[in-house]
Amino acid sequence: MTKRLAEVAKKAGVSEATVSRVLNGRSGVSEATRTSVLTALDVLGYERPTKLRGERARLVGLVLPELQNPIFPALAEVVTGSLAQRGFTPALCARTIGGVPESDYVEMLLDHQVSGVIFAGGSYALTDASHEHYRRLTDRGLPVVLVNAGVDELGFPRVSTDDAVAVEQAWGHLRSLGHERIGMVLGPEGHVPSGRKLAAMIQVAGDNPTFVERSSFSMEGARVAATKLVERGVTGIICASDVLALGAIRAARRLGKAVPADVSVVGFDDSAFMTCTDPPLTTVRQPIETMGQAAVDILVSQIEEARVLSDELLFEPELVVRGSTGPAPAH
């Protein structure tokens, strides 16, 4: 497919992105250019796009890092439903540990001539990860939307939760309960949303010391990180996801502490079943429904109007107070 695009582009004297646009029946190409591309196809002996090819081009990829964290299936439900309503067929690609890497999914989606791709929680959010496969999408002129913060230089539009507001809400809540030693369990170094949360924490904490531990986005990783915080006398813990928060609760209990009597824990996401945990989790809710629909709207406007967008839309989160937070323990 790549070879064919290059040959046709060279013959017609246009870019591969323009050829891709013509083959997929997208707007933003003049009639003269469209004719020269189709003529080049004929001269090189390639078939012109069929009606079936046009239908297949209504495919949109949704690439997720995992399905074990309930926030990702929730996002998938919103995005796939919204795409279907707009006449697109969603192709769900979920990475697993030791499974298909993100770059391979990108190759598969390109082979299937997708109209665009929505990514959530991908390697775009990690500064030290390879971003080469994203550049392949840019080179093809393929519409892409990223959900939540990523490295700036990719230039794709982003639909993000305002991490600074999330931390302000969680910090303010714990401070109002009398907590003075407040810590954070964040994602790994180089994880952009975690970096934003840390910057916000430093801002709101002022002269108060900031206790921070890094973790993989797993319950066991969070348990190890939170154990260090509790051993340092932290009584309130803000976590970068609900899964991390559940690991923090487990850490406190293994140290013989009660939640929230001895340690208060705040999550981030408000994913499914957080009302059913013991205790029910206080968390900062991401507006997943609104964000998912916005991601689809931005992608479809790029597909249908061939507009290149590179803005970041910030959505305000909401603190949901439940049973995992309470007054700071008396000294």
Side-chain angles (χ1 to χ4, degrees):
M1 182 63 198
T2 310
K3 182 168 170 277
R4 182 175 79 167
L5 273 178
E7 281 183 13
V8 175
K10 188 177 178 185
K11 191 78 177 172
V14 297
S15 69
E16 289 183 33
T18 300
V19 174
S20 176
R21 204 164 264 137
V22 172
L23 292 179
N24 290 321
R26 297 214 295 271
S27 58
V29 181
S30 72
E31 204 48 53
T33 302
R34 193 180 300 280
T35 302
S36 67
V37 168
L38 293 175
T39 303
L41 275 177
D42 297 340
V43 170
L44 291 167
Y46 292 123
E47 284 185 33
R48 289 191 175 205
T50 59
K51 184 175 182 296
L52 179 63
R53 173 81 36 83
E55 286 172 1
R56 285 178 62 205
R58 301 288 287 179
L59 206 59
V60 167
L62 172 60
V63 183
L64 303 175
E66 55 165 320
L67 292 175
Q68 289 182 320
N69 182 338
I71 201 66
F72 293 115
L75 176 68
E77 188 177 359
V78 176
V79 169
T80 54
S82 190
L83 283 169
Q85 285 176 346
R86 306 290 285 270
F88 289 87
T89 302
L92 179 61
C93 306
R95 305 197 322 276
T96 53
I97 295 169
V100 179
E102 192 175 70
S103 54
D104 285 5
Y105 272 134
V106 167
E107 289 302 319
M108 288 182 206
L109 292 170
L110 286 171
D111 286 346
H112 282 84
Q113 297 171 307
V114 292
S115 295
V117 187
I118 295 173
F119 290 92
S123 53
Y124 64 86
L126 299 167
T127 54
D128 55 357
S130 170
H131 301 130
E132 200 52 46
H133 52 290
Y134 299 119
R135 293 188 182 94
R136 295 213 51 217
L137 297 171
T138 305
D139 293 344
R140 292 283 191 95
L142 207 67
V144 171
V145 178
L146 309 178
V147 177
N148 278 328
V151 295
D152 288 330
E153 59 266 22
L154 293 174
F156 295 133
R158 287 167 287 175
V159 172
S160 305
T161 300
D162 194 324
D163 290 301
V165 172
V167 169
E168 287 162 16
Q169 291 176 349
W171 168 267
H173 174 59
L174 291 174
R175 288 291 289 162
S176 73
L177 292 167
H179 293 273
E180 293 177 2
R181 294 176 71 83
I182 299 172
M184 299 188 93
V185 176
L186 297 174
E189 291 282 351
H191 180 250
V192 179
S194 291
R196 288 186 175 187
K197 289 182 177 74
L198 178 56
M201 180 73 158
I202 292 167
Q203 188 82 27
V204 296
D207 294 334
N208 289 358
T210 301
F211 305 91
V212 178
E213 291 292 337
R214 299 279 186 167
S215 166
S216 62
F217 278 97
S218 67
M219 210 179 294
E220 184 55 26
R223 186 192 67 75
V224 173
T227 296
K228 295 174 184 173
L229 292 176
V230 176
E231 286 174 341
R232 291 168 70 190
V234 166
T235 64
I237 303 176
I238 300 169
C239 301
S241 79
D242 290 341
V243 172
L244 296 185
L246 296 180
I249 291 172
R250 182 177 290 180
R253 286 192 173 143
R254 286 202 183 172
L255 291 169
K257 306 282 186 184
V259 177
D262 300 311
V263 179
S264 286
V265 178
V266 182
F268 177 79
D269 282 340
D270 194 28
S271 43
F273 311 120
M274 292 307 113
T275 55
C276 308
T277 58
D278 179 25
L281 188 68
T282 294
T283 186
V284 181
R285 176 183 293 157
Q286 290 202 70
I288 283 296
E289 178 115 2
T290 317
M291 289 170 66
Q293 288 175 349
V296 171
D297 289 345
I298 293 168
L299 191 80
V300 171
S301 75
Q302 286 183 91
I303 292 168
E304 295 181 346
E305 299 166 35
R307 286 190 297 145
V308 179
L309 304 163
S310 59
D311 296 339
E312 180 175 24
L313 292 183
L314 284 180
F315 287 80
E316 184 139 339
E318 176 191 356
L319 179 72
V320 182
V321 179
R322 299 194 183 105
S324 67
T325 50
H331 293 300

